[in-house]
């Protein structure tokens, strides 16, 4: 009887976990993507941005900022770089004023992805702000919940059958 219960639980687990593969995220990032090495930087700090796309394509970064520093206020587009090994890397220097930098990846003249980086006001201390985090595995949580319900149902049904056989 215990062997059948374990077999039922194993079968229910296999049935429940098979569809959760559809919830899995795909890595690496899809083609034509923009990723930056930081989400928060101090004034005047540098950070890297990577544009992913097809080999041989022309990639540019376009940044939009506002502030008192006339050399960086407004929209600035970088010189084009050729994508090699599906990657083009850019180094960006944050402006001298706090705010948000809007960054767009341009491949062959067409904007394909965006990102933003917050420029923090200089505090003079050594405290570093933690990056924001989030839960990215909702598929796993849903799969675990379904597996829990399936297991409980299997135990309930097996108990009812045993009660009917003993009666």
């Amino acid at each position: 009887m215990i062997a059948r219960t374990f077999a039922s639980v194993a079968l229910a687990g296999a049935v429940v976990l098979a569809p959760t593969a559809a919830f899995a995220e795909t890595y690496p990032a899809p083609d034509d993507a923009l990723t930056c090495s930081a989400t928060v930087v101090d004034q005047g700090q540098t950070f890297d941005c990577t544009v992913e796309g097809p080999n041989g394509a022309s990639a540019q970064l376009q940044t939009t900022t506002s502030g008192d520093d006339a050399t960086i206020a407004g929209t600035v587009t970088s010189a084009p770089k050729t994508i090699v090994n599906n990657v083009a890397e850019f180094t960006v220097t944050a402006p001298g004023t706090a705010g948000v930098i809007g960054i767009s990846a341009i491949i062959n003249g067409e904007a394909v992805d965006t990102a933003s980086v917050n420029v923090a006001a200089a505090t003079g201390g050594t405290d570093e702000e933690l990056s924001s985090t989030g839960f990215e595995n909702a598929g796993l949580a849903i799969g675990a919940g379904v597996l829990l319900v399936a297991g409980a149902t299997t135990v309930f049904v097996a108990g009812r059958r045993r009660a009917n056989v003993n009666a």
Side-chain angles (χ1 to χ4, degrees), residues 51-160:
V51 177
E52 297 178 27
N55 285 330
S58 175
Q60 292 177 289
L61 273 191
Q62 188 174 63
T63 60
T64 304
T65 60
S66 61
D68 300 329
D69 189 346
T71 61
I72 55 93
T75 301
V76 178
T77 303
S78 71
K81 288 187 177 184
T82 302
I83 297 177
V84 177
N85 294 328
N86 295 349
V87 176
E89 295 190 17
F90 296 87
T91 300
V92 180
T93 302
T97 57
V100 176
I101 304 172
I103 303 170
S104 297
I106 300 172
I107 297 179
N108 293 331
E110 183 178 330
V112 295
D113 200 1
T114 61
S116 62
V117 175
N118 291 321
V119 179
T123 59
T126 60
D127 294 338
E128 292 188 19
E129 184 177 328
L130 293 175
S131 63
S132 62
T133 59
F135 187 70
E136 296 181 2
N137 293 319
L140 289 176
I142 291 170
V146 170
L147 182 60
L148 182 65
V149 169
T153 302
T154 302
V155 170
F156 177 76
V157 169
R160 296 279 297 196

